[in-house]
């Protein structure tokens, strides 16, 4: 059977496109175009570094050419089956490669590591093959088969060089790290410039091998997203084969996220944050489209900060775009724009978007409380709730995460305030967290920029069912990370009137923790630059209505002083806030 495989190298990524199967034997693997390309790139890299490993060729570095690489491939094919001593007998001149077994082994080790340094993706194009109807079988025959085959080939060669079996086997991911099944799908896009997106394959299933360690080019986000008076899609030229569409369920909305291959590692990480839309959900009207990673400079003239969106009133949807410049190679630009689009749609429906965390807490005394903590990034929301979970382990029966970062509030027919979420996952800072504070389980996570400031982890923390169920809100707190505690400023302080509460939340004061390019004490309107600022007049009217309802319904509205922004209190502050919160929850009737 012929293997239908093509591939592309994009920076430090290799993207493998296939229809049905990958190589099945070591010989087939080493005869492939991809193996030859990797080996050639590796040798050229060694030439640039003037590496002593090139001595295996037995000639000057500049003399090493295509024929030498072909001969080395034949050596590898032999060593996949036979011991080192057979190479000179089967290949004329082959002795030059194996004259120094230790050096040759070091070359093989370095080649293996060079391959694994790439971020490796498989895209299964199921056109005409219905691979999305048998996804696990497809993934098993691609991503898992390739992983086993690469490891097997490496180990066979190593053992035939050394004549020994290793004492320790490390089952590293040697094949692809992420695989997707994507297929053309006729989405209900409007006419005009939206038709440029029609040919882009839509992701139906994803398989990944967590924990994944990614190193995107940027580790911070800056500025807010700019509303512009023209549709950015009019300026964009799209090459469909360079893109994938991630159809995201964002709360109740369907947002189509189109990701350029330059940022595949970021786009595919969305599977840990937003539920992938199924076929039934794709039949809904499209609420927004986001084109992430637009090549060239076409967006630069549209706004001072070319992360832009357009309110397409005529078509009842939003259209957003972001350049593929390395400056925007940060997951926050992907996540926060999606949530900005969500927030705008919610305001248009008369609902109040919030930037915060919402949880449903049930203690073992059958007391139930739905808590919303509104606060900016780095103010201690997640840290306090995780400390609360750990400290209150003996008292808490159940703790359901409704929203980790953003959601919306609605008022039902009985006048109750009901809260909803948006994400099934969390995008959590690692810098301030002690072991055990992070959400969920590490073995499901995607870790970004682990060695840098604002290192982050993306992992699932709840279910879509909980996100959209709707829970009556009992307590709304503002996360204050900058004030010390004293008699006049308790950890939890109740605010007396709607006007006082509105002022506190509207001021949005926080001590920046370096998660964006802002530093020091900052003020942000409702700590929400993700739609609230851009639609301030609409948001202000909605906020007044909801805060008046909070007080009319006797919902507890106050401040929670986490002290996360005060030096020396990064861990202890959220812990003490959690203890105060636990005491209050336990006393709630």
């Amino acid at each position: 059977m012929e293997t239908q495989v093509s591939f592309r190298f994009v920076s430090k990524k290799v993207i493998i496109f296939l229809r049905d199967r990958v190589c099945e034997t070591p010989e087939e693997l080493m005869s492939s175009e991809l193996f030859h390309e990797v080996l050639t790139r590796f040798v050229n890299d060694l030439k640039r570094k003037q590496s002593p490993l090139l001595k295996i060729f037995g000639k000057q570095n500049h003399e090493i050419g295509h024929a030498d690489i072909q001969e080395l491939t034949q050596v590898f094919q032999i060593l996949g089956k036979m011991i080192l001593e057979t190479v000179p007998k089967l290949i004329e001149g082959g002795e030059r490669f194996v004259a120094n077994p230790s050096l040759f082994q070091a070359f093989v080790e370095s080649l293996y590591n060079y391959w694994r340094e790439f971020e490796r993706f498989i895209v299964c194009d199921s056109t005409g093959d219905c691979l999305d109807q048998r996804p696990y079988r497809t993934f098993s025959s691609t991503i898992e088969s390739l992983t086993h085959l690469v490891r097997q080939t490496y180990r066979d060669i190593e053992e035939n060089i050394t004549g020994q079996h290793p004492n320790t086997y490390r089952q590293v991911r040697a094949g692809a790290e992420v695989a997707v099944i994507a297929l053309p799908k006729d989405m209900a896009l409007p006419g005009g410039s939206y038709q440029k997106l029609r040919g882009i394959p839509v992701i139906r299933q994803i398989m990944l091998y967590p924990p994944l360690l990614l190193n995107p080019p940027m580790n911070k986000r800056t500025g807010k997203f700019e509303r512009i008076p023209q549709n950015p899609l009019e300026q964009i030229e799209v090459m469909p084969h360079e893109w994938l569409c991630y159809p995201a369920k964002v709360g109740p909305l369907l947002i189509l996220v189109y990701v350029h291959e330059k940022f595949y590692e970021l786009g595919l990480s969305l599977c840990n944050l937003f539920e992938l839309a199924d076929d039934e959900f794709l039949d809904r009207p499209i609420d927004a489209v986001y084109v992430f990673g637009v090549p060239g400079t076409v967006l630069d003239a549209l706004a001072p900060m070319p992360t832009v969106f357009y309110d397409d009133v005529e078509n009842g949807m939003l259209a957003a775009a972001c350049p593929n410049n390395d400056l925007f190679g940060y997951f926050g630009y992907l996540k926060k724009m999606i949530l900005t689009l969500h927030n705008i749609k919610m305001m248009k429906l008369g609902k109040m978007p919030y930037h915060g965390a919402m949880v449903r807490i049930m203690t073992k005394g059958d007391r139930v409380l739905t808590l919303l903590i509104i606060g900016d990034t780095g103010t201690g929301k997640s840290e306090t709730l995780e400390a609360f979970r750990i400290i209150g382990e003996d008292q808490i029966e159940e703790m359901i995460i409704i929203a980790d970062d953003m959601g919306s509030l609605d008022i039902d027919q009985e006048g109750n305030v009901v809260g909803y979420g948006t994400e099934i996952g969390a995008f959590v800072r690692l810098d301030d967290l002690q072991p055990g504070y992070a959400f969920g389980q590490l073995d499901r996570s995607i870790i970004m920029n682990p060695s840098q400031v604002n290192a982050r982890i993306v992992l699932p923390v709840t279910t879509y069912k909980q996100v959209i169920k709707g829970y009556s809100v009992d307590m709304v707190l503002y996360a204050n990370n900058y004030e010390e505690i004293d008699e006049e400023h308790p950890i939890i302080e109740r605010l007396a009137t709607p006007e006082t509460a509105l002022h506190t939340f509207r001021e949005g004061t926080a001590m920046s923790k370096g998660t964006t390019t802002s530093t020091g004490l900052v003020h942000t309107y409702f700590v929400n630059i993700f739609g609230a600022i851009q639609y301030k007049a609409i948001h202000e009217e909605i906020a007044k209505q909801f805060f008046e309802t909070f007080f009319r319904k006797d919902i507890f509205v106050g401040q929670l002083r986490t002290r996360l922004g005060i030096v020396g209190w990064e861990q202890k502050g959220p812990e003490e806030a959690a203890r105060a919160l636990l005491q209050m929850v336990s006393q709630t009737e």
Side-chain angles (χ1 to χ4, degrees):
M1 183 188 296
E2 182 183 354
T3 305
Q4 300 181 38
V5 179
S6 61
F7 57 88
R8 277 202 300 277
F9 286 82
V10 182
S11 300
K12 287 299 292 181
K13 286 186 285 291
V14 58
I15 306 165
I16 303 170
F17 302 88
L18 57 91
R19 284 290 174 90
D20 191 20
R21 61 185 285 272
V22 292
C23 303
E24 294 178 351
T25 66
E27 186 173 12
E28 193 177 359
L29 173 70
M30 290 183 283
S31 299
S32 68
E33 289 183 26
L34 178 55
F35 181 85
H36 181 268
E37 179 66 21
V38 171
L39 182 56
T40 301
R41 285 170 176 258
F42 176 61
V43 170
N44 290 336
D45 191 52
L46 294 181
K47 286 182 180 180
R48 284 192 295 272
K49 297 175 180 176
Q50 294 294 301
S51 171
L53 293 176
L54 292 175
K55 291 179 181 178
I56 66 165
F57 288 97
K59 56 174 63 176
Q60 296 295 314
N61 290 358
H62 68 275
E63 296 175 336
I64 300 170
H66 177 74
D68 298 291
I69 293 175
Q70 291 285 86
E71 190 172 327
L72 177 58
T73 301
Q74 294 174 18
V75 172
F76 284 144
Q77 290 171 338
I78 291 171
L79 288 173
K81 301 176 181 178
M82 306 177 195
I83 61 174
L84 190 72
E85 288 74 16
T86 60
V87 170
K89 300 174 184 177
L90 297 177
I91 297 180
E92 184 178 351
E95 64 273 3
R96 60 176 171 147
F97 293 106
V98 298
N100 185 338
S102 295
L103 184 66
F104 191 67
Q105 182 188 2
F107 182 94
V108 172
E109 286 277 355
S110 295
L111 173 60
Y112 184 56
N113 292 335
Y114 177 80
W115 160 252
R116 293 197 308 108
E117 285 172 1
F118 284 99
E119 291 170 349
R120 306 174 303 278
F121 305 91
I122 287 178
V123 178
C124 303
D125 175 2
S126 65
T127 305
D129 294 325
C130 299
L131 299 186
D132 59 310
Q133 302 304 312
R134 42 187 171 87
Y136 192 76
R137 177 179 164 189
T138 299
F139 288 136
S140 180
S141 67
T142 55
I143 187 170
E144 294 194 26
S145 293
L146 182 61
T147 289
H148 294 310
L149 181 59
V150 173
R151 273 203 308 254
Q152 174 195 342
T153 304
Y154 160 71
R155 285 172 178 164
D156 287 347
I157 292 173
E158 282 271 304
E159 290 177 16
N160 283 326
I161 292 172
T162 64
Q164 297 177 332
H165 299 291
N167 294 325
T168 304
Y169 289 89
R170 296 176 179 86
Q171 296 293 90
V172 298
R173 291 184 298 273
E177 296 169 294
V178 184
V180 304
I181 295 174
L183 68 158
K185 187 170 180 63
D186 190 17
M187 305 297 293
L189 291 162
S193 57
Y194 293 96
Q195 294 301 300
K196 299 176 183 179
L197 308 175
R198 287 181 66 89
I200 296 174
V202 179
I203 297 171
R204 308 311 306 120
Q205 286 93 11
I206 295 181
M207 175 180 274
L208 67 158
Y209 277 83
L212 288 181
L213 295 177
L214 303 176
N215 284 287
M218 198 64 185
N219 68 329
K220 291 183 181 181
R221 179 185 51 76
T222 188
K224 66 179 188 296
F225 302 113
E226 300 279 351
R227 181 182 179 183
I228 58 173
Q230 59 180 304
N231 194 328
L233 294 178
E234 296 173 0
Q235 309 296 320
I236 295 171
E237 293 300 325
V238 175
M239 304 292 287
H241 67 278
E242 296 179 353
W243 296 79
L244 288 173
C245 173
Y246 186 97
K249 296 164 80 168
V250 186
L253 306 182
L254 172 60
I255 298 181
L256 303 183
V257 186
Y258 294 90
V259 183
H260 188 262
E261 61 186 10
K262 178 181 173 72
F263 292 142
Y264 271 3
E265 71 277 18
L266 297 177
L268 298 181
S269 296
L270 287 172
C271 69
N272 265 11
L273 193 69
F274 296 110
E275 185 89 349
L276 184 68
D278 54 25
D279 288 338
E280 183 180 355
F281 206 88
L282 288 179
D283 289 336
R284 298 187 181 194
I286 299 165
D287 294 289
V289 298
Y290 182 20
V291 185
F292 183 72
V294 176
T297 60
V298 293
L299 299 178
D300 292 353
L302 300 181
M305 188 70 176
T307 50
V308 297
F309 68 89
Y310 170 69
D311 192 342
D312 188 349
V313 177
E314 181 180 352
N315 287 302
M317 63 191 302
L318 297 154
C322 176
N324 72 357
N325 189 302
D326 279 352
L327 291 174
F328 305 102
Y330 174 59
F331 193 68
Y333 286 106
L334 195 56
K335 170 187 172 175
K336 294 297 192 182
M337 177 66 90
I338 293 170
L339 292 174
T340 297
L341 301 175
H342 163 271
N343 292 348
I344 294 168
K345 291 290 290 190
M346 289 298 103
M347 285 187 286
K348 286 175 173 285
L349 296 172
K351 301 177 182 181
M352 179 179 167
Y354 62 80
H355 184 190
M358 182 180 288
V359 291
R360 176 80 163 174
I361 301 163
M362 180 179 291
T363 66
K364 291 183 178 177
D366 288 334
R367 294 189 176 94
V368 179
L369 180 99
T370 301
L371 167 67
L372 169 59
I373 304 178
I374 291 177
D376 207 350
T377 304
T379 53
K381 305 184 299 291
S382 300
E383 293 84 349
T384 299
L385 289 175
E386 281 308 299
F388 180 88
R389 186 199 303 273
I390 295 166
I391 293 167
E393 183 178 7
D394 295 335
Q395 300 176 53
I396 298 171
E397 183 174 298
E398 186 178 35
M399 187 169 167
I400 299 170
I401 297 172
I402 303 164
D404 168 69
D405 186 42
M406 285 199 201
S408 63
L409 300 176
D410 196 8
I411 299 174
D412 66 15
Q413 293 181 345
E414 287 74 39
N416 299 311
V417 178
V418 181
Y420 302 87
T422 53
E423 311 124 294
I424 60 167
F427 183 44
V428 186
R429 282 173 57 90
L430 292 181
D431 302 57
D432 297 325
L433 302 184
Q434 293 179 341
Y437 271 37
F439 281 97
Q441 299 176 359
L442 188 66
D443 61 1
R444 294 183 175 186
S445 67
I446 300 171
I447 301 171
M448 298 184 179
N449 306 106
S451 62
Q452 300 180 34
V453 173
N454 197 35
R456 291 274 182 157
I457 180 172
V458 191
L459 73 169
V461 296
T462 190
T463 65
Y464 184 70
K465 181 180 178 180
Q466 298 295 350
V467 165
I468 63 167
K469 183 175 181 179
Y471 290 92
S472 293
V473 178
D474 301 300
M475 181 180 292
V476 180
L477 299 176
Y478 179 80
N480 177 329
N481 74 338
Y482 60 93
E483 283 186 338
E484 294 280 7
I485 303 301
D486 56 36
E487 290 184 4
E488 298 296 321
H489 301 85
I491 293 178
I492 299 177
E493 176 189 0
R494 187 163 195 165
L495 299 172
T497 66
E499 292 73 25
T500 303
L502 270 169
H503 176 77
T504 298
F505 284 77
R506 188 187 289 118
E507 284 289 298
T509 308
M511 181 65 69
S512 176
K513 288 293 293 176
T515 62
T516 69
T517 53
S518 300
T519 57
L521 205 61
V522 295
H523 301 273
T524 309
Y525 178 73
F526 274 89
V527 293
N528 194 349
I529 63 170
F530 312 106
I533 284 182
Q534 295 89 339
Y535 290 73
K536 192 171 182 178
I538 296 174
H539 184 276
E540 189 67 21
E541 290 302 314
I542 294 173
K544 287 178 182 177
Q545 177 191 1
F546 275 84
F547 273 76
E548 288 171 359
T549 305
F550 293 162
F551 281 83
R552 187 168 60 251
K553 287 291 183 176
D554 199 30
I555 293 172
F556 187 105
V557 181
Q559 292 194 75
L560 176 70
R561 293 184 170 89
T562 68
R563 291 176 281 180
L564 185 70
I566 300 174
V567 175
W569 288 91
E570 290 87 353
Q571 275 83 42
K572 193 176 179 182
E575 184 176 314
E576 290 192 6
R579 292 187 189 281
L581 196 55
L582 182 62
Q583 183 179 4
M584 176 171 284
V585 170
S586 300
Q587 294 172 352
T588 301
E589 293 294 342

